[in-house]
Amino acid sequence: MNRVAKRYTKAIFQLAQENNILEQIEQDFLLLSDLLRQSDELDQFLANPLIREDKKMEALEEMVGPKANPMTKNFLRLLATKRRLRVLPAILENFRQMMLEYRNIVEGEVVSAVELDESQLAAIKKRLEEMWGKNVKLYPRVQPDILGGFVVRVQDVVIDNSIRLQLNKLREKLTAR
């Protein structure tokens, strides 16, 4: 995590928490994240040192609109003044991660050969929540080349319960003899 982005993220998070506007700032930041994700040009525009910061700020203010919280607008102005708008994507992601932590949520991905039904996902989620002691937000993904079973990734932990892994282990045992 970028140290500069981390400092700015902590600062806006603490200010928003003190002023009881975490959810409002989160909504503004989600809007900005969506805009950045949808437009590579916007990301390049913010990172371009040849474009004046006041022009970047004008564009951002127009994008977030009049409904944005004044603290969000002030934060963006601060970033523009300090010539730190290039780290805005990292700040937005850091803030999202801090909100998940604040809500006691971890994100995970479950990869399976076929689409899992709701009851299967619920069972996996329940087991993961017991393991982590936190709420788990699972993102399912289908990847046919694992053949069967599933692979779960939560934070830095991978639980591989795939047929592909089991076949590879069996192959290794048979060739070792």
Side-chain angles (χ1 to χ4, degrees):
M1 192 182 313
N2 182 324
R3 286 188 325 190
V4 171
K6 194 173 184 178
R7 281 199 321 256
Y8 280 100
T9 306
K10 279 184 172 180
I12 188 68
F13 188 89
Q14 287 174 346
L15 274 172
Q17 194 172 20
E18 289 169 7
N19 290 288
N20 293 322
I21 56 171
L22 268 174
E23 283 76 21
Q24 293 170 10
I25 300 299
E26 179 184 32
Q27 289 307 310
D28 293 345
F29 281 11
L30 287 172
L31 171 66
L32 284 167
S33 291
D34 288 345
L35 292 170
L36 285 168
R37 195 174 16 265
Q38 292 170 9
S39 170
D40 288 336
E41 293 84 20
L42 177 59
D43 197 24
Q44 293 169 2
F45 175 77
L46 292 176
N48 189 338
L50 300 176
I51 299 172
R52 292 189 355 226
E53 299 300 315
D54 61 323
K55 295 294 180 194
K56 294 176 187 179
M57 188 58 217
E58 285 175 23
L60 283 173
E61 281 184 339
E62 190 173 312
M63 284 182 240
V64 295
K67 293 181 181 177
N69 189 286
M71 187 179 289
T72 301
K73 291 179 182 180
N74 288 338
F75 181 70
L76 293 172
R77 277 190 209 97
L78 173 70
L79 292 176
T81 303
K82 299 289 185 180
R83 303 185 62 78
R84 300 286 193 199
L85 283 173
R86 70 187 179 334
V87 297
L88 181 60
I91 292 169
L92 297 173
E93 178 56 25
N94 294 346
F95 191 87
R96 189 184 76 78
Q97 292 294 328
M98 287 182 80
M99 286 300 294
L100 288 172
E101 191 174 310
Y102 175 75
R103 292 182 174 128
N104 200 32
I105 298 173
V106 293
E107 291 181 310
E109 177 184 47
V110 61
V111 180
S112 58
V114 295
E115 191 169 332
L116 299 174
D117 64 36
E118 290 300 318
S119 65
Q120 293 168 319
L121 283 172
I124 294 169
K125 181 178 186 237
K126 182 179 181 214
R127 180 69 179 117
L128 292 171
E129 287 175 343
E130 290 169 1
M131 289 172 62
W132 263 266
K134 294 183 176 194
N135 295 318
V136 175
K137 189 173 188 177
L138 271 183
Y139 299 99
R141 184 168 55 97
V142 174
Q143 185 177 326
D145 68 339
I146 69 168
L147 304 178
F150 58 89
V151 178
V152 176
R153 290 179 188 89
V154 177
Q155 294 175 333
D156 296 335
V157 177
V158 176
I159 301 167
D160 194 336
N161 193 20
S162 66
I163 300 295
R164 181 180 61 190
L165 176 70
Q166 293 171 18
L167 287 173
N168 287 340
K169 284 181 179 179
L170 182 60
R171 183 183 314 124
E172 287 175 17
K173 284 181 184 177
L174 291 173
T175 57
R177 293 182 180 181

